[in-house]
């Protein structure tokens, strides 16, 4: 009977502690956990338990008692809920609070243990990186010393050879008594040797020339990797907002280069003649209906953005977005996203007989 077994076990433990006996005591008695926490010479310990997966981790943690997880395990093995609830009521509020506290404590211990393991892994990675960095630095230092030594040796050899060549040249000129043809030939040989040992100059890197200075609002620019042109509407640090026809697009500054107004006019005139034909083709090939079912929210919003821009450019009065019902998250995210567009007048659900709130009609200004 735990009512008598608990005090009996506590008395045994107290006598053993007074006699300075060492040992490991395993128990489920809650009174022993409290007794060990308040008595010098005794220390609580418990095995870590993953209360999410309801599995033991077989790791001993010193200093804190653990829970028996009686109710959690009972629920996990399929004991009826009314039986578990009745058992909680019979256990008493104080004991329930203690057990709940132990479960929370166990969860905190698991979190702390995971954090310790993660920190230890990061420290090991940092140590390995430091060690690799030291090895690399030592390797580079050794290579630098070897290269400097070889360069000095090469320079000494060049100087020695140059001195010998000059001395031989002077001696031959004297021996030939300054014959013009021989002197000319010797000078050419000397010049060739000098050119052979000359270090070639590096060509300067080409500097990109920006036509007319920095890019400002109102300038015309062209993409560096295509012939597409646009006019700058806004500048946000390293990003530009461009008007490309009826579309607005955000691009990085380094993707475009400024062009002159004269060149921009030529581009506009050349493209104007074919614009009407392209618009007719675009309108005939455009469907005012977009199916987004099965897509992730991020991918769906990206598709909506492209689709809406095209619909606005082509002048369509409304579009139909099929997102399905599900839990309603995709529908809510799409509608919140569309509210940011000033071109959107209103949004409505489809008729209940034809899809209801699984379809959104978007009416444009």
């Amino acid at each position: 009977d735990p009512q008598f077994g608990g005090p009996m076990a506590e008395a045994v433990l107290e006598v053993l502690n007074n006699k300075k006996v060492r040992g490991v005591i395993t128990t489920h008695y809650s009174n022993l956990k409290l007794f060990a926490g308040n008595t010098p010479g005794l220390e609580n310990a418990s095995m870590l338990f993953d209360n999410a997966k309801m599995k033991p981790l077989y790791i001993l943690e010193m200093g804190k008692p653990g829970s028996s997880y009686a109710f959690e395990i009972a629920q996990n093995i399929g004991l009826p809920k009314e039986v578990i609830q009745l058992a909680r009521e019979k256990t008493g509020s104080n004991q329930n609070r203690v057990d709940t506290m132990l479960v929370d404590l166990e969860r905190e211990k698991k979190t702390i243990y995971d954090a310790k393991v993660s920190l230890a892994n990061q420290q090991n990675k940092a140590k390995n990186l430091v060690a690799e960095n030291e090895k690399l630095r030592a390797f580079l230092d050794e290579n630098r010393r070897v290269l400097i030594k070889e360069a000095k040796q090469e320079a000494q050899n060049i100087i020695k050879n140059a001195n010998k060549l000059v001395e031989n040249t002077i001696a031959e000129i004297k021996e030939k008594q300054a014959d013009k043809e021989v002197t000319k030939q010797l000078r050419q040989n000397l010049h060739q040797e000098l050119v052979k040992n000359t270090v070639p100059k590096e060509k300067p890197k080409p500097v990109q020339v920006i036509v007319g200075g920095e890019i400002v609002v109102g300038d015309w620019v062209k993409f560096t990797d295509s012939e597409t042109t646009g006019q700058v509407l806004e500048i946000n640090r390293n990003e530009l907002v461009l008007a490309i026809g009826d579309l607005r697009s955000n691009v990085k500054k380094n993707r475009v280069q400024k062009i002159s107004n004269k060149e921009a006019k030529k581009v506009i005139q050349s493209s104007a003649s074919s614009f009407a034909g392209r618009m007719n083709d675009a309108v005939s090939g455009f469907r005012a209906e977009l199916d987004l079912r099965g897509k992730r929210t991020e991918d769906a919003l990206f598709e909506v953005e492209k689709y809406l821009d095209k619909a606005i450019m082509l002048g369509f009065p409304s579009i139909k977005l099929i997102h399905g019902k599900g839990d309603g998250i995709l529908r809510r995210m799409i509608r919140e996203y569309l509210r940011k567009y000033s071109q959107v007048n209103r949004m409505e659900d489809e008729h209940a007989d034809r899809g209801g709130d699984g379809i959104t009609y978007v009416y444009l200004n």
Side-chain angles (χ1 to χ4, degrees), residues 122-138:
Q122 290 177 4
Q123 288 176 340
N124 288 334
K125 287 182 181 178
K127 288 180 181 178
N128 292 336
L129 288 174
V130 170
E132 290 180 6
N133 186 51
E134 290 296 329
K135 289 181 181 178
L136 181 60
R137 187 173 66 177

Side-chain angles (χ1 to χ4, degrees), residues 288-340:
E289 178 179 303
L290 179 63
D291 193 343
L292 301 167
R293 287 174 294 184
K295 294 184 179 294
R296 295 186 306 170
T297 302
E298 183 180 353
D299 297 334
L301 294 181
F302 179 70
E303 292 293 330
V304 168
E305 180 182 9
K306 295 193 302 181
Y307 186 76
L308 184 62
D309 286 341
K310 193 169 184 180
I312 294 171
M313 181 187 71
L314 298 176
F316 274 71
S318 65
I319 57 175
K320 178 181 178 182
L321 303 178
I322 305 172
H323 42 67
K325 296 181 179 180
D327 51 13
I329 294 177
L330 184 58
R331 172 181 179 273
R332 187 178 74 252
M333 295 300 294
I334 289 175
R335 292 198 172 196
E336 288 179 1
Y337 180 76
L338 290 174
R339 289 190 184 96
K340 300 176 183 178

Side-chain angles (χ1 to χ4, degrees), residues 10 83 166 259:
E10 185 175 330
V83 175
V166 171
I259 60 176

Side-chain angles (χ1 to χ4, degrees), residues 186-249:
L186 291 174
R187 285 180 177 175
Q188 288 179 353
N189 294 341
L190 187 61
H191 179 71
Q192 288 175 359
E193 191 68 23
L194 179 63
V195 170
K196 186 173 67 175
N197 292 293
T198 300
V199 178
K201 294 183 179 179
E202 292 185 1
K203 293 183 180 181
K205 294 181 179 180
V207 179
Q208 183 179 1
V209 179
I210 301 176
V211 180
E214 291 294 327
I215 297 175
V216 297
V217 174
D219 286 340
W220 284 86
V221 294
K222 181 175 69 173
F223 283 83
T224 55
D225 55 355
S226 69
E227 294 299 318
T228 304
T229 59
Q231 190 173 24
V232 179
L233 301 179
E234 298 177 22
I235 300 177
N236 300 320
R237 294 185 181 180
N238 293 324
E239 285 196 353
L240 305 176
V241 179
L242 301 183
I244 305 174
D246 289 334
L247 294 178
R248 289 163 59 95
S249 180

Side-chain angles (χ1 to χ4, degrees), residues 35 67 114 128 152 160 177 190 213 227 232 258-259 280-281 310-311 315 338 340 361 363:
F35 179 66
S67 170
D114 291 342
N128 292 336
K152 287 181 178 179
K160 287 179 181 179
Q177 296 180 351
L190 187 61
E227 294 299 318
V232 179
K258 185 175 178 180
I259 60 176
N280 289 333
D281 293 340
K310 193 169 184 180
L338 290 174
K340 300 176 183 178
Y361 276 99
Y363 295 93

